[in-house]
Each structure stands twice: as C-alpha cells, then as structure tokens.
Amino acid sequence: MPLTRRSFIQMVPASAAALALTSGAKAAEPIHHVTVLGGGFAGCTVAKYLRMWSNGEIAVTLIEPNSNHVSCIMSNLILNKRLKTTDLTFEYNDLQVKYGVEVVHDRALRIRGPQKQLRLKNAGWVNYDSLVVATGIQFDKIPGLVPSKVPHAWIAGGQTNNLRNKIIRMPDTGTFVMTIPKAPYRCPPGPYERACIVADILGRRSGYLDGTGNVAPRVIVLDANPGIMAEKGTFTSAFNDLYGDIIEYIPDAQVESVDSDNLIVNTSQGSFAGDVLNVIPNHGAQNILKVSGLTGDSRWADVDPVTYASTNTLFQDVYVIGDTQGTSQPKSGHMANAQAKICADSIIRTAHGLSSYTEERLQNITTNSACFSPITYDEASWLTAVYSYNPDTGSMGLVPGSLGEAHNWSSRNFNDMFTWSDNLFADTFK
Amino acid sequence: MRVISIKISGTLLIASAILMLPLSTAVAEDQTVNRMIASQCAQCHGTNGYARGSYPDLGGDEAKDLADHLYDMKGEDRPSDIMDHQALGYTDDQIRRIAQYYSTLPENGGD
C-alpha cells in the first residue's frame, strides 16, 4: 500500500506504512503521489508541470542529493569567462513555493520494482505510487583516469571550473587534447562547440588569430565516432577554415587508457600528450538503474515514448525521462524538458483513469530540440529538430524538413542564445 | 446515444436520426492534447506562452493570426530560421491546435 503524501514527506520507513496512514493529514488528500528522482532539466520540468497541469491534485516529491542544479547548457561559456557558475546555478525554491513541489535532499540507491519501493541513503526504504527517474548520466570507467587531474567538465559545476583553471594556466601556444564519447552521448554538438571555444581562447591569447603571434596553439580533438555528430556544416567549416591551423580533428579514436600524471591519452589512433587533457568518457544510465535491474542489458532505460513508462514489466508505474531514457531522440536539456511534458500529461491521465493511447493523443505526440553553440567569443550557430511519434513503429522519428542548422555563425545568434537559454531555464526551474 | 437507422425501400435513412442528436454529443477536441503539443513551444516562448526577452509571447494571440504565421514559416521556399524548421515539424492540424490553445490563455501568461 502506498504511503500518503504527508507520510512520505516525513520519510516514514516502508515498514511503518500502516502506522503512517493513520496520521491525520490536514491538507486534502491528493489523488496521486509522484516521486521524481533527479533535479535537472527532466526532473524539474516534470515536477513543475505535474503540479501545474493537475491543479495541485497530484502531489510531487522531488529527490535530489544536491542543494541546487548547475546547468550544463551554456557551461562552455564558463571556460572563456563569458559566464560564471552562479549564472547557471538554479535553486529549487520556485518549484517549492510557486508549485508546491516537495524537495527532499537525499540520494536514491536502489529501486524495487515489484514492491514499488525506493531506498534512500538517509531515509531508508520508502514506498512510491509512481516514480519518475530522471537521474542523468554516469561515466564509464577508463583505466588510469583521475577526473581531478583530467576533468570531463561534462557534468557542470566544479569540473567546469577545474577545466577553466587548467586552461588559464596552460601555455598560450600549448596543446589542448580532448576526447569525444561514443554516441549516443549528452549534448551532440557540445564537444565540437567546446573545441571551438578553446581554440578561440588560445588563439586570442597567443595572438595567432589576430596575426600578432606566429605560433599556433593546438587543439587536438579525438572523436570516438566516425565523423562530426551534429551541425556538420558549421563545425566542418569552423575546424577547417576559422581554426584550421589550430584544431586537428581525428575521428574513430577510441580511448583505451589515460596517464593522468603525465597527461597522455592512449587511443585506437595512437597516444596524445597535452598541456591540458579533457577526457569525456562514454556514458550510460546511472548506476541505480543498473543495480536495480531497470535497464536490463541496455546502457539506457527502454521506454514507451507515448508515456515514458519503462518497458521493463517488473517496474510498473516507473517512468524514465531525459538523458537516461533510451529512445533515439538527442540527449539534451531542451529535449529532456520536452519529454517531461509528455510524461506529465500521461501520468495525470492515468491518475484520472484516462488512457494515454487515444487516437487523438497518439497522433500528436511531439518533442523538439533547439540549441545554440558559441563558435567564437561573440558569435554562435544553432541547431533544431522536431520529433513525432510513429504509431506503426512505436517510436519517435525525426520529422522530415525539421532538421536545420544555421547557415553561418553570427553575433545575432549569439544574442539569441541568451534569450533561448533564459526561457528554457525559466520553463524548467521557475 | 445510438443512431437509429430505418430502412425503407432499400434506402438507408439516417439523416433524420443524426439531426436529432443534441449538439453536446459532437466529439469534442481533447484540450489536454492541445495543451501537450502547445507546451513544446514553451522552452523558447515561456511557460503558458509568456516569453522572456525578445522572443514573441504566444499567450492570448488570436488563433488565426498565430496559425497563419506558422503556416507562412512552414511554407518558406528556403527555410533559414529556427522557426522555419520548427514549423515544418508540425502538421497543419497540429499548428491549428497549438494556435487554438494559446488563444485561450491570458496575454500575461497567467503568472
């Protein structure tokens, strides 16, 4: 039997559920209680929209170990000091005060699907009615990799500052070596954008880009994929022309091991040494999904994109959204926000005893992605796409014609980038 | 309500039965579906269509104006802006639904 919202908030252990149910709750009982794991783009959006669209009929508890969220979106601009970490840090106050989301700072360790129970580090085992898993990514282990010496900066925050500080201290005409993980990975254009940002930083500092310096710095990009994975026109042009003397792009380079003390990365294309090494390991779903058996043999959690419910039959009423889910949609904060709304709508329908599989709804399940990539200190490009549900295949597919990228990078795009991110942040966290 | 058909001389006469149906039995459009599609605009145009900065507000727009605007973008010979591509991602009916939904929201986004 699920705990009431009130008793859950008080973190009553699962064994005391019957006792907890007898405690008098002052507020009207909600019709359903949703527990959300993870306070990033996916988790915050689903929490907000569940509360907003259910007019408060659905109680939501969001469980997140950190006291705030630092956005990965825009975080490459911390490297060139266009932004500070505080500019990208979001508290959970608005979710709590404006929308009535209960926020609990705890860490989820395990899910028992058949029992509909969740183990938290501090609170122990608790029950859930419905569970939304939005826990983001976890990196694969790489032999020799010490993240403090060789930062990934692919989960924003301390790692981003670490990388920025290493770039600040490296020689102006030194060598920066970075690796790009095997797809699917978080933020398809992000690594190529980072290569451009670092080439711009070093190119300006050395004087090479304005002709006052004769020695070009080097940015070596080791891509585990066979080619550029996003904004191919933009990044091919930036790598070959704008930063042609600085960036060296090497595809099909699988990372095998790292010497974190001597800053050497060993790959299938050879060994590369740098003054700064930025290794972004391959990644998959968080460990909690694996140890709980939710992902089965997959790297990501398989879901039905009509509802984002797990396809694992042992995990009824468990939904997975954002980077953790395993559809072919790109892994991005914008897309996580989009998926969260489809999921919220479905959960509200279920709570009211309504189907998510009406003909009308099935024909109108869409998500979209839009993002901007800074290419220079004050110019950016963009990428956009729309996905729709195909009832014949049961999957989300790219709508023909909707995929587009900027014809060139520009200062107008750079300004639009801040409007875009400001709106995305607000729709998610505020 | 059952539609009663009366067969006379081999002709199926159902028109009179349909005409007797009260208006309330017409199949209503699911507004939560329209809300779900429309919410996909909110990442850039703000929750309930109340945008920050220079991006256009959608909340409170006349449905026809917003739909026509999106149809125009969808019809661009050479899509060049983000919205040209975004508009190409939706059927005409989805665009109509999005526009219809935003027309029901207040201009100030309801915050």
Side-chain angles (χ1 to χ4, degrees), chain A residues 48 53 334 337-338 341 345 349 360 363-364 366 368 382 384 386 401-403 416 419-420 423-424 426-427, chain B residues 29-30 32-33 35-37 39-40 42-44 47 51-52 55 80 82 85-86 88-90 94 97:
Chain A
K48 168 177 166 175
W53 282 351
H334 191 112
N337 172 302
K341 292 164 181 169
D345 177 75
R349 283 171 176 273
E360 189 178 3
Q363 289 178 357
N364 290 296
T366 67
N368 68 68
W382 52 257
T384 191
V386 179
S402 71
L403 178 65
D416 277 351
T419 309
W420 160 73
N423 278 293
L424 177 55
D427 189 44
Chain B
E29 201 159 75
D30 187 338
T32 65
V33 167
R35 180 178 70 182
M36 181 181 71
I37 316 175
S39 71
Q40 299 295 328
Q43 289 97 312
C44 297
T47 305
R52 294 172 174 235
Y55 285 0
S80 56
I82 287 181
H85 289 281
Q86 280 286 317
L88 281 164
Y90 297 88
Q94 286 170 337
R97 286 169 180 270

Side-chain angles (χ1 to χ4, degrees), chain A residues 172-174 202-203 205-209 212-218 245-246:
Chain A
D172 295 349
T173 57
L202 298 176
R205 224 163 69 193
S206 64
Y208 189 80
L209 283 176
T212 58
N214 296 323
V215 179
R218 294 182 76 205
D245 294 337
I246 299 174

Side-chain angles (χ1 to χ4, degrees), chain A residues 140-158:
Chain A
D140 290 357
K141 300 274 189 231
I142 295 175
L145 178 63
V146 180
S148 59
K149 296 176 180 175
V150 179
H152 51 75
W154 215 241
I155 295 172

Side-chain angles (χ1 to χ4, degrees), chain A residues 24 29 31 52 54 66 73 85 98 117 121 126 162 178 195 202 237 318 328 355 385 403 426:
Chain A
E29 285 298 316
I31 62 168
M52 193 170 74
S54 76
N66 299 312
I73 292 175
T85 305
K98 280 175 72 175
Q117 289 182 336
K121 188 176 180 185
V126 294
N162 180 327
M178 66 176 289
L202 298 176
S237 176
V318 173
S328 61
S355 172
L403 178 65

Side-chain angles (χ1 to χ4, degrees), chain A residues 97-411:
Chain A
V97 175
K98 280 175 72 175
Y99 301 101
V101 175
E102 189 73 23
V103 178
V104 174
H105 295 296
D106 204 338
R107 185 179 296 278
L109 300 176
R110 191 177 282 261
I111 304 162
R112 278 186 192 148
Q115 291 82 18
K116 298 183 77 170
Q117 289 182 336
L118 176 67
R119 187 178 167 216
L120 301 175
K121 188 176 180 185
N122 297 329
W125 287 100
V126 294
N127 297 339
Y128 60 79
D129 288 351
S130 291
L131 181 69
V132 180
V133 180
T135 45
I137 59 168
Q138 182 156 331
F139 297 116
D140 290 357
K141 300 274 189 231
I142 295 175
L145 178 63
V146 180
S148 59
K149 296 176 180 175
V150 179
H152 51 75
W154 215 241
I155 295 172
Q159 276 276 313
T160 316
N161 293 332
N162 180 327
L163 184 61
R164 179 200 60 197
N165 293 340
K166 284 181 165 55
I167 293 169
I168 288 171
R169 288 195 296 266
M170 73 178 278
D172 295 349
T173 57
T175 299
F176 180 91
V177 178
M178 66 176 289
T179 73
I180 299 178
K182 191 82 178 163
Y185 60 85
R186 168 176 283 179
C187 190
Y192 309 101
E193 165 189 313
R194 175 171 293 175
C196 289
I197 291 291
V198 176
D200 179 75
I201 294 169
L202 298 176
R204 285 168 184 269
R205 224 163 69 193
S206 64
Y208 189 80
L209 283 176
D210 65 10
T212 58
N214 296 323
V215 179
R218 294 182 76 205
V219 173
I220 298 174
V221 181
L222 300 163
D223 194 341
N225 302 290
I228 292 172
M229 300 304 290
E231 292 183 63
K232 194 158 189 171
T234 295
F235 290 117
T236 300
S237 176
F239 285 12
N240 291 345
D241 302 327
L242 182 63
Y243 302 120
D245 294 337
I246 299 174
I247 292 178
E248 182 179 357
Y249 176 72
I250 301 172
D252 290 316
Q254 317 294 332
V255 176
E256 293 165 352
S257 65
V258 173
D259 181 341
S260 295
D261 291 323
N262 296 304
L263 301 180
I264 297 169
V265 58
N266 301 306
T267 77
S268 57
Q269 298 290 342
S271 297
F272 299 83
D275 298 293
V276 173
L277 201 50
N278 171 209
V279 171
I280 307 169
N282 294 345
H283 39 275
Q286 280 275 350
N287 205 35
I288 179 176
L289 284 84
K290 298 173 191 166
V291 299
S292 303
L294 181 53
T295 45
D297 296 328
S298 304
R299 289 180 70 77
W300 311 97
D302 290 330
V303 296
D304 177 356
V306 173
T307 59
Y308 286 89
S310 167
T311 56
N312 188 327
T313 53
L314 293 175
F315 290 81
Q316 297 292 317
D317 302 314
V318 173
Y319 303 79
V320 186
I321 53 174
D323 292 353
T324 316
Q325 56 73 41
T327 70
S328 61
Q329 299 166 97
K331 298 188 183 302
S332 71
H334 191 112
M335 188 54 93
N337 172 302
Q339 294 162 1
K341 292 164 181 169
I342 307 294
C343 180
D345 177 75
S346 176
I347 291 172
I348 293 167
R349 283 171 176 273
T350 303
H352 284 103
L354 301 173
S355 172
S356 296
Y357 293 84
T358 64
E359 184 77 16
E360 189 178 3
R361 188 174 186 274
L362 291 178
Q363 289 178 357
N364 290 296
I365 294 173
T366 67
T367 56
N368 68 68
S369 185
C371 65
F372 290 82
S373 291
I375 304 296
T376 71
Y377 189 74
D378 51 14
E379 295 166 307
S381 63
W382 52 257
L383 173 67
T384 191
V386 179
Y387 290 76
S388 71
Y389 180 70
N390 181 339
D392 294 332
T393 62
S395 61
M396 298 296 287
L398 180 66
V399 181
S402 71
L403 178 65
E405 65 175 85
H407 292 168
N408 45 42
W409 50 86
S410 70
S411 55

